[in-house]
Amino acid sequence: DAGVIQSPRHEVTEMGQEVTLRCKPISGHDYLFWYRQTMMRGLELLIYFNNNVPIDDSGMPEDRFSAKMPNASFSTLKIQPSEPRDSAVYFCASSSRGVTYNEQFFGPGTRLTVL
Amino acid sequence: AQSVTQLDSQVPVFEEAPVELRCNYSSSVSVYLFWYVQYPNQGLQLLLKYLSGSTLVKGINGFEAEFNKSQTSFHLRKPSDHISDTAEYFCAVSDRGSQGNLIFGKGTKLSVKP
């Protein structure tokens, strides 16, 4: 398996623009997680899905952030409009409770810079 | 609610010296325990995990950790460090009956100096 795939790897945008981050989980995994990592706040869980259904979105910072999982092999995290304080590395991870015993497999991350 | 405490935010050591990174967790139920490593500008990768059985768990790159239920700890150890071990290390806990999410500690930055 190719592992968790994220795109783009780097994104530079201007304040006010819409940003869409993409994630393809490992085939067969039924959980998908979105994290944000910054120097100041460390690693934060934003939202996670089980079988494509959002389970907990309490970590989503504000209404400018939204996440979808239209099918088992694809998820998006959208920021609209983006702000400089959204600059961070965004990680996607997937797992299978029954197979991996909640071990999460992380993608390489998307480094977002909002100017 | 579960929580994870990594007692040291930064640990500097010299090459070939032993190191211990401390992790304590809080949970009222049985747990799975994990250590992840993040090298600079990379994602997190699994170092080792405790699911059940032997309380001493061996992982990649010569690391090991010991699950201590009475002290609710899962400290990470390596007898002899290399400069290449310089990275950030995250301890994580999961409730065996949970929905599947992990609770991560805030991380410990290990700096191995020559």
PDB file of all heavy atoms in Angstrom, chain A residues 31-54:
ATOM      1  N   TYR A  31     -11.306   4.831   9.751  1.00  0.00           N
ATOM      2  CA  TYR A  31     -11.211   6.097  10.468  1.00  0.00           C
ATOM      3  C   TYR A  31     -10.272   7.028   9.709  1.00  0.00           C
ATOM      4  O   TYR A  31      -9.224   6.603   9.203  1.00  0.00           O
ATOM      5  CB  TYR A  31     -10.653   5.892  11.882  1.00  0.00           C
ATOM      6  CG  TYR A  31     -11.645   5.353  12.882  1.00  0.00           C
ATOM      7  CD1 TYR A  31     -11.829   3.985  13.042  1.00  0.00           C
ATOM      8  CD2 TYR A  31     -12.392   6.216  13.668  1.00  0.00           C
ATOM      9  CE1 TYR A  31     -12.744   3.494  13.950  1.00  0.00           C
ATOM     10  CE2 TYR A  31     -13.307   5.731  14.596  1.00  0.00           C
ATOM     11  CZ  TYR A  31     -13.476   4.374  14.726  1.00  0.00           C
ATOM     12  OH  TYR A  31     -14.384   3.886  15.633  1.00  0.00           O
ATOM     13  N   LEU A  32     -10.631   8.310   9.688  1.00  0.00           N
ATOM     14  CA  LEU A  32      -9.775   9.312   9.077  1.00  0.00           C
ATOM     15  C   LEU A  32      -9.733  10.534   9.990  1.00  0.00           C
ATOM     16  O   LEU A  32     -10.775  10.972  10.494  1.00  0.00           O
ATOM     17  CB  LEU A  32     -10.278   9.711   7.684  1.00  0.00           C
ATOM     18  CG  LEU A  32      -9.368  10.689   6.940  1.00  0.00           C
ATOM     19  CD1 LEU A  32      -9.227  10.298   5.472  1.00  0.00           C
ATOM     20  CD2 LEU A  32      -9.815  12.125   7.071  1.00  0.00           C
ATOM     21  N   PHE A  33      -8.518  11.046  10.176  1.00  0.00           N
ATOM     22  CA  PHE A  33      -8.288  12.141  11.114  1.00  0.00           C
ATOM     23  C   PHE A  33      -7.591  13.293  10.387  1.00  0.00           C
ATOM     24  O   PHE A  33      -6.715  13.074   9.551  1.00  0.00           O
ATOM     25  CB  PHE A  33      -7.387  11.679  12.264  1.00  0.00           C
ATOM     26  CG  PHE A  33      -7.886  10.473  12.998  1.00  0.00           C
ATOM     27  CD1 PHE A  33      -7.666   9.196  12.496  1.00  0.00           C
ATOM     28  CD2 PHE A  33      -8.581  10.610  14.188  1.00  0.00           C
ATOM     29  CE1 PHE A  33      -8.137   8.071  13.167  1.00  0.00           C
ATOM     30  CE2 PHE A  33      -9.044   9.486  14.864  1.00  0.00           C
ATOM     31  CZ  PHE A  33      -8.825   8.221  14.351  1.00  0.00           C
ATOM     32  N   TRP A  34      -7.948  14.507  10.761  1.00  0.00           N
ATOM     33  CA  TRP A  34      -7.233  15.708  10.319  1.00  0.00           C
ATOM     34  C   TRP A  34      -6.623  16.392  11.533  1.00  0.00           C
ATOM     35  O   TRP A  34      -7.325  16.662  12.526  1.00  0.00           O
ATOM     36  CB  TRP A  34      -8.174  16.691   9.609  1.00  0.00           C
ATOM     37  CG  TRP A  34      -8.517  16.334   8.199  1.00  0.00           C
ATOM     38  CD1 TRP A  34      -9.670  15.770   7.738  1.00  0.00           C
ATOM     39  CD2 TRP A  34      -7.699  16.564   7.044  1.00  0.00           C
ATOM     40  NE1 TRP A  34      -9.609  15.618   6.375  1.00  0.00           N
ATOM     41  CE2 TRP A  34      -8.423  16.095   5.926  1.00  0.00           C
ATOM     42  CE3 TRP A  34      -6.425  17.113   6.842  1.00  0.00           C
ATOM     43  CZ2 TRP A  34      -7.918  16.162   4.626  1.00  0.00           C
ATOM     44  CZ3 TRP A  34      -5.927  17.176   5.555  1.00  0.00           C
ATOM     45  CH2 TRP A  34      -6.674  16.704   4.463  1.00  0.00           C
ATOM     46  N   TYR A  35      -5.314  16.670  11.440  1.00  0.00           N
ATOM     47  CA  TYR A  35      -4.589  17.353  12.500  1.00  0.00           C
ATOM     48  C   TYR A  35      -3.953  18.620  11.939  1.00  0.00           C
ATOM     49  O   TYR A  35      -3.669  18.735  10.753  1.00  0.00           O
ATOM     50  CB  TYR A  35      -3.457  16.479  13.040  1.00  0.00           C
ATOM     51  CG  TYR A  35      -3.875  15.248  13.807  1.00  0.00           C
ATOM     52  CD1 TYR A  35      -4.085  14.038  13.156  1.00  0.00           C
ATOM     53  CD2 TYR A  35      -4.008  15.275  15.193  1.00  0.00           C
ATOM     54  CE1 TYR A  35      -4.443  12.900  13.862  1.00  0.00           C
ATOM     55  CE2 TYR A  35      -4.360  14.140  15.909  1.00  0.00           C
ATOM     56  CZ  TYR A  35      -4.564  12.955  15.235  1.00  0.00           C
ATOM     57  OH  TYR A  35      -4.915  11.826  15.944  1.00  0.00           O
ATOM     58  N   ARG A  36      -3.680  19.542  12.864  1.00  0.00           N
ATOM     59  CA  ARG A  36      -2.922  20.745  12.519  1.00  0.00           C
ATOM     60  C   ARG A  36      -1.748  20.832  13.495  1.00  0.00           C
ATOM     61  O   ARG A  36      -1.918  20.583  14.708  1.00  0.00           O
ATOM     62  CB  ARG A  36      -3.805  21.985  12.644  1.00  0.00           C
ATOM     63  CG  ARG A  36      -3.098  23.289  12.363  1.00  0.00           C
ATOM     64  CD  ARG A  36      -4.067  24.455  12.326  1.00  0.00           C
ATOM     65  NE  ARG A  36      -4.630  24.766  13.632  1.00  0.00           N
ATOM     66  CZ  ARG A  36      -5.439  25.801  13.846  1.00  0.00           C
ATOM     67  NH1 ARG A  36      -5.765  26.595  12.837  1.00  0.00           N
ATOM     68  NH2 ARG A  36      -5.921  26.040  15.051  1.00  0.00           N
ATOM     69  N   GLN A  37      -0.580  21.189  12.973  1.00  0.00           N
ATOM     70  CA  GLN A  37       0.598  21.309  13.843  1.00  0.00           C
ATOM     71  C   GLN A  37       1.258  22.663  13.655  1.00  0.00           C
ATOM     72  O   GLN A  37       1.588  23.054  12.529  1.00  0.00           O
ATOM     73  CB  GLN A  37       1.605  20.194  13.555  1.00  0.00           C
ATOM     74  CG  GLN A  37       2.775  20.164  14.554  1.00  0.00           C
ATOM     75  CD  GLN A  37       3.730  19.008  14.299  1.00  0.00           C
ATOM     76  OE1 GLN A  37       4.026  18.666  13.161  1.00  0.00           O
ATOM     77  NE2 GLN A  37       4.214  18.383  15.371  1.00  0.00           N
ATOM     78  N   THR A  38       1.445  23.374  14.749  1.00  0.00           N
ATOM     79  CA  THR A  38       2.167  24.642  14.747  1.00  0.00           C
ATOM     80  C   THR A  38       3.167  24.641  15.893  1.00  0.00           C
ATOM     81  O   THR A  38       3.053  23.842  16.832  1.00  0.00           O
ATOM     82  CB  THR A  38       1.227  25.848  14.932  1.00  0.00           C
ATOM     83  OG1 THR A  38       0.568  25.708  16.207  1.00  0.00           O
ATOM     84  CG2 THR A  38       0.182  25.922  13.833  1.00  0.00           C
ATOM     85  N   MET A  39       4.126  25.530  15.806  1.00  0.00           N
ATOM     86  CA  MET A  39       5.118  25.635  16.880  1.00  0.00           C
ATOM     87  C   MET A  39       4.436  26.045  18.180  1.00  0.00           C
ATOM     88  O   MET A  39       4.773  25.532  19.254  1.00  0.00           O
ATOM     89  CB  MET A  39       6.186  26.653  16.496  1.00  0.00           C
ATOM     90  CG  MET A  39       7.097  26.206  15.375  1.00  0.00           C
ATOM     91  SD  MET A  39       8.218  24.911  15.908  1.00  0.00           S
ATOM     92  CE  MET A  39       9.289  25.839  16.989  1.00  0.00           C
ATOM     93  N   MET A  40       3.491  26.951  18.077  1.00  0.00           N
ATOM     94  CA  MET A  40       2.878  27.502  19.287  1.00  0.00           C
ATOM     95  C   MET A  40       1.912  26.524  19.946  1.00  0.00           C
ATOM     96  O   MET A  40       1.885  26.406  21.172  1.00  0.00           O
ATOM     97  CB  MET A  40       2.136  28.795  18.942  1.00  0.00           C
ATOM     98  CG  MET A  40       3.036  29.942  18.559  1.00  0.00           C
ATOM     99  SD  MET A  40       4.122  30.411  19.918  1.00  0.00           S
ATOM    100  CE  MET A  40       2.935  31.044  21.094  1.00  0.00           C
ATOM    101  N   ARG A  41       1.128  25.822  19.162  1.00  0.00           N
ATOM    102  CA  ARG A  41       0.045  25.012  19.708  1.00  0.00           C
ATOM    103  C   ARG A  41       0.300  23.512  19.626  1.00  0.00           C
ATOM    104  O   ARG A  41      -0.498  22.722  20.152  1.00  0.00           O
ATOM    105  CB  ARG A  41      -1.259  25.366  19.003  1.00  0.00           C
ATOM    106  CG  ARG A  41      -1.653  26.834  19.163  1.00  0.00           C
ATOM    107  CD  ARG A  41      -2.888  27.149  18.322  1.00  0.00           C
ATOM    108  NE  ARG A  41      -4.073  26.501  18.877  1.00  0.00           N
ATOM    109  CZ  ARG A  41      -4.886  27.052  19.748  1.00  0.00           C
ATOM    110  NH1 ARG A  41      -4.647  28.276  20.197  1.00  0.00           N
ATOM    111  NH2 ARG A  41      -5.949  26.409  20.196  1.00  0.00           N
ATOM    112  N   GLY A  42       1.380  23.129  18.965  1.00  0.00           N
ATOM    113  CA  GLY A  42       1.675  21.711  18.859  1.00  0.00           C
ATOM    114  C   GLY A  42       0.719  21.003  17.922  1.00  0.00           C
ATOM    115  O   GLY A  42       0.197  21.592  16.977  1.00  0.00           O
ATOM    116  N   LEU A  43       0.465  19.732  18.195  1.00  0.00           N
ATOM    117  CA  LEU A  43      -0.386  18.892  17.353  1.00  0.00           C
ATOM    118  C   LEU A  43      -1.822  18.952  17.868  1.00  0.00           C
ATOM    119  O   LEU A  43      -2.083  18.632  19.025  1.00  0.00           O
ATOM    120  CB  LEU A  43       0.136  17.449  17.399  1.00  0.00           C
ATOM    121  CG  LEU A  43      -0.476  16.439  16.443  1.00  0.00           C
ATOM    122  CD1 LEU A  43      -0.097  16.779  15.003  1.00  0.00           C
ATOM    123  CD2 LEU A  43      -0.005  15.030  16.800  1.00  0.00           C
ATOM    124  N   GLU A  44      -2.735  19.367  17.010  1.00  0.00           N
ATOM    125  CA  GLU A  44      -4.142  19.506  17.405  1.00  0.00           C
ATOM    126  C   GLU A  44      -5.019  18.644  16.503  1.00  0.00           C
ATOM    127  O   GLU A  44      -4.878  18.691  15.280  1.00  0.00           O
ATOM    128  CB  GLU A  44      -4.613  20.960  17.233  1.00  0.00           C
ATOM    129  CG  GLU A  44      -3.847  22.007  17.990  1.00  0.00           C
ATOM    130  CD  GLU A  44      -4.315  23.395  17.583  1.00  0.00           C
ATOM    131  OE1 GLU A  44      -3.840  23.909  16.554  1.00  0.00           O
ATOM    132  OE2 GLU A  44      -5.157  23.968  18.302  1.00  0.00           O
ATOM    133  N   LEU A  45      -5.930  17.903  17.084  1.00  0.00           N
ATOM    134  CA  LEU A  45      -6.919  17.155  16.315  1.00  0.00           C
ATOM    135  C   LEU A  45      -8.026  18.113  15.906  1.00  0.00           C
ATOM    136  O   LEU A  45      -8.634  18.767  16.761  1.00  0.00           O
ATOM    137  CB  LEU A  45      -7.491  16.010  17.143  1.00  0.00           C
ATOM    138  CG  LEU A  45      -8.619  15.211  16.500  1.00  0.00           C
ATOM    139  CD1 LEU A  45      -8.122  14.472  15.251  1.00  0.00           C
ATOM    140  CD2 LEU A  45      -9.218  14.221  17.495  1.00  0.00           C
ATOM    141  N   LEU A  46      -8.294  18.188  14.618  1.00  0.00           N
ATOM    142  CA  LEU A  46      -9.340  19.084  14.124  1.00  0.00           C
ATOM    143  C   LEU A  46     -10.681  18.368  14.027  1.00  0.00           C
ATOM    144  O   LEU A  46     -11.698  18.850  14.527  1.00  0.00           O
ATOM    145  CB  LEU A  46      -8.956  19.635  12.751  1.00  0.00           C
ATOM    146  CG  LEU A  46      -7.662  20.442  12.688  1.00  0.00           C
ATOM    147  CD1 LEU A  46      -7.377  20.879  11.254  1.00  0.00           C
ATOM    148  CD2 LEU A  46      -7.720  21.635  13.614  1.00  0.00           C
ATOM    149  N   ILE A  47     -10.684  17.203  13.378  1.00  0.00           N
ATOM    150  CA  ILE A  47     -11.904  16.469  13.137  1.00  0.00           C
ATOM    151  C   ILE A  47     -11.551  15.037  12.802  1.00  0.00           C
ATOM    152  O   ILE A  47     -10.446  14.768  12.311  1.00  0.00           O
ATOM    153  CB  ILE A  47     -12.709  17.104  11.973  1.00  0.00           C
ATOM    154  CG1 ILE A  47     -14.066  16.412  11.775  1.00  0.00           C
ATOM    155  CG2 ILE A  47     -11.900  17.080  10.675  1.00  0.00           C
ATOM    156  CD1 ILE A  47     -14.963  17.138  10.768  1.00  0.00           C
ATOM    157  N   TYR A  48     -12.485  14.095  13.099  1.00  0.00           N
ATOM    158  CA  TYR A  48     -12.271  12.751  12.595  1.00  0.00           C
ATOM    159  C   TYR A  48     -13.575  12.119  12.148  1.00  0.00           C
ATOM    160  O   TYR A  48     -14.656  12.490  12.614  1.00  0.00           O
ATOM    161  CB  TYR A  48     -11.490  11.875  13.565  1.00  0.00           C
ATOM    162  CG  TYR A  48     -12.200  11.364  14.782  1.00  0.00           C
ATOM    163  CD1 TYR A  48     -12.801  10.103  14.784  1.00  0.00           C
ATOM    164  CD2 TYR A  48     -12.205  12.093  15.964  1.00  0.00           C
ATOM    165  CE1 TYR A  48     -13.403   9.600  15.930  1.00  0.00           C
ATOM    166  CE2 TYR A  48     -12.797  11.600  17.109  1.00  0.00           C
ATOM    167  CZ  TYR A  48     -13.398  10.355  17.088  1.00  0.00           C
ATOM    168  OH  TYR A  48     -13.985   9.854  18.231  1.00  0.00           O
ATOM    169  N   PHE A  49     -13.435  11.209  11.212  1.00  0.00           N
ATOM    170  CA  PHE A  49     -14.546  10.516  10.575  1.00  0.00           C
ATOM    171  C   PHE A  49     -14.454   9.014  10.875  1.00  0.00           C
ATOM    172  O   PHE A  49     -13.363   8.458  10.993  1.00  0.00           O
ATOM    173  CB  PHE A  49     -14.480  10.680   9.049  1.00  0.00           C
ATOM    174  CG  PHE A  49     -14.629  12.081   8.561  1.00  0.00           C
ATOM    175  CD1 PHE A  49     -13.538  12.947   8.531  1.00  0.00           C
ATOM    176  CD2 PHE A  49     -15.850  12.547   8.092  1.00  0.00           C
ATOM    177  CE1 PHE A  49     -13.667  14.242   8.064  1.00  0.00           C
ATOM    178  CE2 PHE A  49     -15.990  13.834   7.613  1.00  0.00           C
ATOM    179  CZ  PHE A  49     -14.892  14.686   7.600  1.00  0.00           C
ATOM    180  N   ASN A  50     -15.609   8.385  10.941  1.00  0.00           N
ATOM    181  CA  ASN A  50     -15.701   6.933  10.980  1.00  0.00           C
ATOM    182  C   ASN A  50     -16.688   6.514   9.904  1.00  0.00           C
ATOM    183  O   ASN A  50     -17.833   6.991   9.909  1.00  0.00           O
ATOM    184  CB  ASN A  50     -16.140   6.461  12.362  1.00  0.00           C
ATOM    185  CG  ASN A  50     -16.312   4.945  12.439  1.00  0.00           C
ATOM    186  OD1 ASN A  50     -17.227   4.441  13.084  1.00  0.00           O
ATOM    187  ND2 ASN A  50     -15.435   4.207  11.819  1.00  0.00           N
ATOM    188  N   ASN A  51     -16.235   5.656   9.009  1.00  0.00           N
ATOM    189  CA  ASN A  51     -17.093   5.227   7.888  1.00  0.00           C
ATOM    190  C   ASN A  51     -17.713   6.434   7.179  1.00  0.00           C
ATOM    191  O   ASN A  51     -18.924   6.458   6.904  1.00  0.00           O
ATOM    192  CB  ASN A  51     -18.182   4.274   8.384  1.00  0.00           C
ATOM    193  CG  ASN A  51     -17.604   2.939   8.832  1.00  0.00           C
ATOM    194  OD1 ASN A  51     -16.654   2.429   8.222  1.00  0.00           O
ATOM    195  ND2 ASN A  51     -18.154   2.381   9.897  1.00  0.00           N
ATOM    196  N   ASN A  52     -16.884   7.438   6.952  1.00  0.00           N
ATOM    197  CA  ASN A  52     -17.226   8.639   6.180  1.00  0.00           C
ATOM    198  C   ASN A  52     -18.111   9.616   6.939  1.00  0.00           C
ATOM    199  O   ASN A  52     -18.499  10.650   6.376  1.00  0.00           O
ATOM    200  CB  ASN A  52     -17.911   8.285   4.842  1.00  0.00           C
ATOM    201  CG  ASN A  52     -17.193   7.196   4.079  1.00  0.00           C
ATOM    202  OD1 ASN A  52     -15.999   6.972   4.268  1.00  0.00           O
ATOM    203  ND2 ASN A  52     -17.920   6.502   3.226  1.00  0.00           N
ATOM    204  N   VAL A  53     -18.463   9.319   8.165  1.00  0.00           N
ATOM    205  CA  VAL A  53     -19.340  10.189   8.950  1.00  0.00           C
ATOM    206  C   VAL A  53     -18.507  10.954   9.977  1.00  0.00           C
ATOM    207  O   VAL A  53     -17.719  10.339  10.707  1.00  0.00           O
ATOM    208  CB  VAL A  53     -20.409   9.357   9.683  1.00  0.00           C
ATOM    209  CG1 VAL A  53     -21.259  10.244  10.574  1.00  0.00           C
ATOM    210  CG2 VAL A  53     -21.272   8.605   8.676  1.00  0.00           C
ATOM    211  N   PRO A  54     -18.658  12.287  10.039  1.00  0.00           N
ATOM    212  CA  PRO A  54     -17.903  13.033  11.055  1.00  0.00           C
ATOM    213  C   PRO A  54     -18.353  12.659  12.456  1.00  0.00           C
ATOM    214  O   PRO A  54     -19.542  12.669  12.756  1.00  0.00           O
ATOM    215  CB  PRO A  54     -18.227  14.496  10.723  1.00  0.00           C
ATOM    216  CG  PRO A  54     -19.499  14.454   9.938  1.00  0.00           C
ATOM    217  CD  PRO A  54     -19.512  13.154   9.219  1.00  0.00           C
TER     218      PRO A  54
END
